[in-house]
Amino acid sequence: MRKIKKIKTIKDLEQSIQSQIQARKSEKKSVLTVSAGTCGQARGSLKVIKSLEKAIKEQNLEDKVKIKVTGCHGFCEAEPNIIVQPVNIFYQKVQPKDAKDITSETIINNKVIDQLLFTDLATGKKVSNENNIPFYKKQKRIILGDNTLIDPTDMDDYLSIGGYRSLVKALSDMTQEEIIETVKQSGLRGRGGAGFPTGYKWEFARKTKSDTKYIICNADEGDPGAYMDRSLLEGNPHRVLEGMIIGAFAIGAGEGYIYARDEYPLAVEHISLAISKAEEMGLLGKNILGTDFDFEVQIVKGAGAFVCGEETALIASVEGRVGEPRQRPPFPAVKGLWGKPTNINNVETWANIPLIIEKGAEWFSRIGTNGSKGTKIFSLVGKINNTGLVEVPMGITLREIIFDIGGGIPGGKDFKAVQTGGPSGGCIPKEMLDLPVDYESLAKVGSIMGSGGMIVMDENTCMVDVAKFFLNFLRDESCGKCISCREGTQRMWEIVTDITEGKGKKGDLEFLEALAKATRDASMCGLGQTAANPVLSTIRHFKDEYEAHIKDKKCPAGVCKELIQYSIIAENCTGCLACIKPCPQDAITGELKKVHVLDQSKCIKCGACYEACNFDAIKIE
Amino acid sequence: MEAEELKVKSYITKYNNEKKALISILQEVQEEYNYLPQEVLKIVSKALGIPLIDIIGVATFYRAFSLEPRGKHLITVCLGTACHVRGGPKILEEFERKLNIDAGETSKDGQFSLETVACLGCCAIGPVVVIDGDYHAQITIRKVGSILKKHFKKE
């Protein structure tokens, strides 16, 4: 790699950006863009890249085509996927064996390979252009879209899409007050959970008098089921960094920290690389671009504690201590890291900043609803056909996200609920599918926006089990400082566990509701205050399911082990032997072409036979 | 132990003997030893001037640290929400049966540690299992045996 020449002035940076934009425009080679975020790699994208490299070499195509390894494209269901540019063909679920065809057919002969195209389930037609895939059609990918364009390990590539142009603008044309005013006017609210208006937060930190101030990027994405922050750090780290540099300049902070989750090795690798490149180029350090603005960024790796997503706990963790939250006020904007004013924003919030600076507050505030501006990235996961990261304008309905973008529920099953907001959020039933997705509407139905997890549940998901799952998570992650949270989550978990085991009794639900409210009212931080949401929202919307467990000792969804029984439906059983071998208990016996028999006394309800049967002959009831 | 002590001290000097770097230092120690040996924690305690009890407090607060030696191979089953609704707990049970240990335990021969994680952030391909850093997507109960076999066939 060529040595980067340090950029000394704002004008130099502007010129570098222009020359990289030109370089991108005059690119003569075709580009094979391969998605290789953590999920892409898990699906084998690195092997695909190797095969592509080999094919290019064998067919002497080095002058005609190059490979670009990018972060996550969002459509995780279709991983590993390749976009062929400039012709814009989207190939999905590419295997190493397809590499040769892609180079010989598409690159040399300009032919589209039909079997690698996405099939629109609604029309049955093949789709070659990414933008015509229903998954992408209703999205507005103003942030995530850039992930498909750039190699996250190459800073020049970021410059070539106009990256760091907002920094140029902020440093040369705007005062610190103007930057903060722009962020305020844009209506941007924190994307990490609580949704506090970002510009106001910045203003508080800016107005506090102190010789030292800090900013922190909260990349401790602890909500199970949410991974947009990982994808942004993996796929476009410079954008997050650019947002931070602008924020530090506006607030007057000299040091920044990125508090990253330990479970995200690739994200840490890419953001580390971005920091060192930015230092090398002179975008971080002393006298940035010839101004008197100094700013440095360090990475602190978290060590696996959900509560550290709470800002005062996060600060304690950065200071090397146990991550226990403390009472607010004083807020971090007044007294934060090492007692100094500190501004903390989430990864996605920081990633929005360059866009707002570049295009202006008015442009940004035109997207979304009255109280919720801009777009939000959601991770659409669980029982859904098109899983992945979706970026949508605020105010879009749940139905549009789940059915138009997500393609509905697999296997023709019925939609039951969608869970938003992680362990602090709630479950929303199908009667509310037309709910617009914004901060206010979600709060009204007992959930929250949270960091953007959207877990879809179908008829086979037990809502009592889901409440148990979140309570188990919360009792485990409660730091223990407030007795209401420590004991409240534990007791609620015990009661719900009893209910799932057939030991529920009359009055349990009322007691649960009382406990939930006490936990909410008496706990100090967000974890305890919202810990009741999964319980309260499931009782509110799925009371009949709780009652079936308590009164009839039945789990209608067929999940709670103590309340279900596996059996073989004789009419459906073809006697194919498929279920016999997977059974760890040798509980199923039978001969070829004869109906098999399940011995209930041996069955441990592991589900192996259910999974193995191709004829719907295993019944759970 | 002298050589060990020097090695541990090198981690500490790397962070300028600063108390604030405790978590980072513990992460390096764990990387090296696969767990946090008490002897090493004593060296850290002395060098940083932090009472051992506070270091144990930090080590037990964060999930990433282990005070017990872990197995040669680490198997992590994701139990995040998305993996949960797609059957993650059943996958964990199958690993428990196959390895004959419970989640959080290490096999007697020191070969395997079975752990769970609250989310790995690759929810779209759940249920997910990571074996020694390799991600396995869309695991089914039946795949568990073959994955174990494939992964450890060389041994």
Side-chain angles (χ1 to χ4, degrees):
Chain A
M1 199 170 281
R2 76 188 167 81
K3 189 152 170 49
I4 293 173
K5 215 174 108 198
K6 197 163 179 158
I7 298 173
K8 292 197 179 102
T9 64
I10 299 172
K11 221 176 167 82
D12 282 354
L13 176 58
E14 220 176 335
Q15 275 167 3
S16 296
I17 296 168
Q18 280 313 322
S19 69
Q20 289 302 335
I21 290 175
Q22 276 312 317
R24 177 176 280 263
K25 274 189 192 153
S26 51
E27 175 67 71
K28 292 205 171 60
K29 288 184 192 175
S30 295
V31 182
L32 297 171
T33 309
V34 189
S35 65
T38 302
C39 6
Q41 292 191 8
R43 282 259 174 101
S45 60
L46 295 181
K47 282 182 194 145
V48 172
I49 292 165
K50 270 210 178 124
S51 308
L52 284 171
E53 282 168 350
K54 202 173 148 216
I56 291 170
K57 211 169 165 197
E58 279 171 6
Q59 297 169 29
N60 290 320
L61 293 172
E62 284 95 341
D63 299 333
K64 276 194 94 170
V65 63
K66 68 174 190 183
I67 300 170
K68 183 174 285 192
V69 181
T70 69
C72 175
H73 293 185
F75 198 4
C76 309
E77 190 63 33
E79 300 268 13
N81 58 54
I82 294 181
I83 304 170
V84 187
Q85 295 288 18
V87 282
N88 208 5
I89 301 168
F90 180 84
Y91 287 144
Q92 61 143 11
K93 296 182 182 169
V94 180
Q95 297 301 312
K97 64 174 170 51
D98 302 322
K100 266 189 195 159
D101 291 344
I102 293 175
T103 48
S104 60
E105 290 302 303
T106 308
I107 300 299
I108 300 177
N109 297 330
N110 287 322
K111 272 191 194 154
V112 177
I113 305 167
D114 266 1
Q115 63 266 31
L116 291 178
L117 295 178
F118 177 84
T119 309
D120 186 340
L121 285 177
T123 61
K125 281 187 183 151
K126 299 270 184 192
V127 185
S128 75
N129 187 324
E130 187 186 26
N131 299 324
N132 294 332
I133 294 174
F135 177 78
Y136 288 113
K137 259 190 196 164
K138 279 202 171 176
Q139 293 195 46
K140 191 169 177 65
R141 309 204 319 146
I142 56 177
I143 295 172
L144 207 53
D146 288 351
N147 272 24
T148 61
L149 300 176
I150 56 165
D151 171 356
T153 63
D154 181 1
M155 184 160 164
D156 286 346
D157 225 20
Y158 182 61
L159 296 181
S160 77
I161 57 164
Y164 285 112
R165 206 155 42 181
S166 302
L167 180 65
V168 169
K169 187 174 174 186
L171 291 181
S172 54
D173 301 340
M174 297 172 88
T175 66
Q176 288 146 310
E177 289 79 7
E178 277 168 357
I179 294 171
I180 291 179
E181 194 53 35
T182 304
V183 178
K184 269 165 76 177
Q185 291 299 326
S186 74
L188 175 68
R189 293 170 64 173
R191 301 296 194 235
F196 192 84
T198 306
Y200 288 91
K201 208 173 182 180
W202 286 20
E203 195 171 48
F204 294 140
R206 169 156 179 81
K207 282 190 173 160
T208 310
K209 287 199 170 60
S210 173
D211 50 349
T212 312
K213 289 178 190 177
Y214 299 103
I215 61 163
I216 296 177
C217 170
N218 185 350
D220 191 41
E221 190 171 45
D223 277 10
Y227 59 102
M228 57 289 301
D229 294 349
R230 171 179 71 68
S231 288
L232 285 172
L233 286 177
E234 279 178 13
N236 200 350
H238 280 288
R239 181 173 185 140
V240 179
L241 208 52
E242 186 178 5
M244 287 181 74
I245 301 171
I246 295 168
F249 173 69
I251 290 162
E255 271 180 65
Y257 289 85
I258 295 173
Y259 187 84
R261 249 189 120 203
D262 191 37
E263 289 87 345
Y264 289 175
L266 192 65
V268 171
E269 189 188 319
H270 284 183
I271 188 72
S272 305
L273 198 63
I275 292 171
S276 55
K277 279 278 167 64
E279 281 170 353
E280 240 179 282
M281 296 254 309
L283 300 186
L284 288 172
K286 294 245 173 274
N287 299 108
I288 292 170
L289 301 173
T291 65
D292 56 3
F293 166 48
D294 305 336
F295 181 57
E296 280 168 7
V297 177
Q298 288 178 43
I299 294 175
V300 176
K301 274 205 299 180
F306 173 68
V307 73
C308 287
E310 198 280 340
E311 49 183 23
T312 60
L314 188 153
I315 286 171
S317 186
V318 175
E319 290 174 351
R321 296 183 287 121
V322 164
E324 277 182 1
R326 64 156 174 80
Q327 195 70 258
R328 297 179 304 177
F331 286 92
V334 176
K335 213 171 168 197
L337 194 59
W338 294 296
K340 302 289 182 188
T342 304
N343 177 74
I344 305 179
N345 288 126
N346 152 277
V347 174
E348 194 183 334
T349 314
W350 287 118
N352 267 289
I353 299 298
L355 203 68
I356 292 168
I357 297 300
E358 187 193 340
K359 304 207 170 178
E362 208 205 326
W363 174 85
F364 187 83
S365 64
R366 277 204 297 265
I367 308 167
T369 63
N370 261 343
S372 309
K373 301 295 185 190
T375 62
K376 177 79 192 85
I377 307 175
F378 290 99
S379 56
L380 191 57
V381 295
K383 306 284 188 70
I384 183 98
N385 273 318
N386 302 332
T387 34
L389 288 179
V390 303
E391 184 181 350
V392 288
M394 297 269 193
I396 191 170
T397 65
L398 283 170
R399 190 186 299 279
E400 286 172 283
I401 296 180
I402 294 164
F403 289 92
D404 297 347
I405 296 173
I409 318 299
K413 299 260 165 86
D414 271 345
F415 168 85
K416 184 187 268 183
V418 59
Q419 206 279 345
T420 72
S424 306
C427 295
I428 303 168
K430 68 173 169 212
E431 296 76 36
M432 295 181 179
L433 270 172
D434 292 308
L435 189 82
V437 176
D438 57 49
Y439 291 97
E440 294 77 15
S441 308
L442 289 170
K444 251 185 238 162
V445 299
S447 189
I448 60 164
M449 176 83 74
S451 57
M454 206 171 255
I455 295 106
V456 181
M457 298 165 182
D458 70 4
E459 55 189 280
N460 294 129
T461 313
C462 169
M463 301 315 287
V464 187
D465 177 70
V466 167
K468 181 170 83 170
F469 166 80
F470 282 115
L471 286 169
N472 186 39
F473 177 86
L474 289 162
R475 78 180 177 115
D476 202 29
E477 295 292 347
S478 169
C479 78
K481 189 168 179 169
C482 305
I483 188 169
S484 52
C485 173
R486 186 180 70 231
E487 295 302 322
T489 52
Q490 174 69 23
R491 294 289 168 233
M492 286 192 281
W493 174 77
E494 285 169 9
I495 295 167
V496 173
T497 302
D498 275 352
I499 295 174
T500 60
E501 290 176 354
K503 292 180 268 184
K505 51 191 183 303
K506 204 174 162 246
D508 272 357
L509 292 186
E510 293 73 19
F511 187 42
L512 262 181
E513 280 176 308
L515 255 180
K517 283 172 186 156
T519 305
R520 180 187 65 196
D521 295 342
S523 301
M524 194 180 65
C525 87
L527 192 149
Q529 285 162 4
T530 58
N533 283 351
V535 177
L536 290 176
S537 74
T538 45
I539 294 181
R540 180 168 156 192
H541 301 303
F542 301 95
K543 202 165 191 169
D544 52 337
E545 232 178 299
Y546 275 90
E547 280 168 353
H549 284 72
I550 297 170
K551 283 184 197 153
D552 313 334
K553 311 292 175 202
K554 287 226 152 76
C555 175
V559 173
C560 299
K561 262 190 178 182
E562 277 74 7
L563 306 178
I564 56 167
Q565 192 174 331
Y566 284 82
S567 57
I568 293 170
I569 306 168
E571 305 88 77
N572 292 3
C573 180
T574 59
C576 71
L577 306 175
C579 60
I580 293 182
K581 206 176 152 216
C583 178
Q585 296 296 102
D586 296 327
I588 303 175
T589 46
E591 289 167 40
L592 192 65
K593 293 189 178 168
K594 283 188 184 156
V595 172
H596 299 344
V597 180
L598 196 162
D599 180 351
Q600 294 296 341
S601 66
K602 286 185 182 170
C603 178
I604 54 167
K605 300 164 189 172
C606 70
C609 55
Y610 184 79
E611 191 188 285
C613 181
N614 294 318
F615 301 97
D616 288 331
I618 307 281
K619 185 166 68 172
I620 308 173
E621 60 179 359
Chain B
M1 198 61 204
E2 235 170 71
E4 290 295 300
E5 195 163 338
L6 277 176
K7 191 159 60 182
V8 174
K9 285 211 168 131
S10 75
Y11 300 141
I12 300 167
T13 42
K14 189 174 146 192
Y15 293 97
N16 304 323
N17 287 43
E18 284 185 292
K19 285 183 185 175
K20 68 171 186 185
L22 176 62
I23 293 172
S24 307
I25 292 166
L26 294 183
Q27 280 166 339
E28 300 230 6
V29 171
Q30 173 135 323
E31 184 115 322
E32 171 72 29
Y33 296 92
N34 208 9
Y35 77 112
L36 302 176
Q38 187 128 9
E39 289 309 307
V40 174
L41 293 186
K42 281 181 188 161
I43 301 171
V44 175
S45 160
K46 224 170 153 188
L48 293 180
I50 302 174
L52 187 60
I53 189 164
D54 290 344
I55 292 185
I56 300 280
V58 168
T60 50
F61 181 83
Y62 295 99
R63 190 186 282 274
F65 298 124
S66 169
L67 293 173
E68 301 288 327
R70 296 199 290 180
K72 200 170 150 199
H73 301 289
L74 182 60
I75 299 166
T76 311
V77 181
C78 183
L79 292 182
T81 323
C83 288
H84 179 88
V85 301
R86 285 189 180 179
K90 284 182 180 161
I91 306 299
L92 177 65
E93 285 166 15
E94 181 69 3
F95 272 105
E96 289 177 330
R97 277 192 297 271
K98 283 259 165 16
L99 297 170
N100 204 17
I101 49 174
D102 283 342
E105 289 182 349
T106 299
S107 61
K108 280 209 180 89
D109 60 3
Q111 283 293 308
F112 306 101
S113 283
L114 181 62
E115 295 186 356
T116 62
V117 62
C119 184
L120 288 164
C122 27
C123 314
I125 54 173
V128 182
V129 173
V130 182
I131 301 180
D132 293 339
D134 284 343
Y135 287 70
H136 297 270
Q138 287 167 326
I139 301 300
T140 58
I141 302 168
R142 280 180 300 163
K143 277 189 196 166
V144 170
S146 60
I147 287 174
L148 282 172
K149 244 185 232 158
K150 203 173 131 193
H151 220 87
F152 301 113
K153 67 179 171 201
K154 286 167 207 146
E155 283 161 44

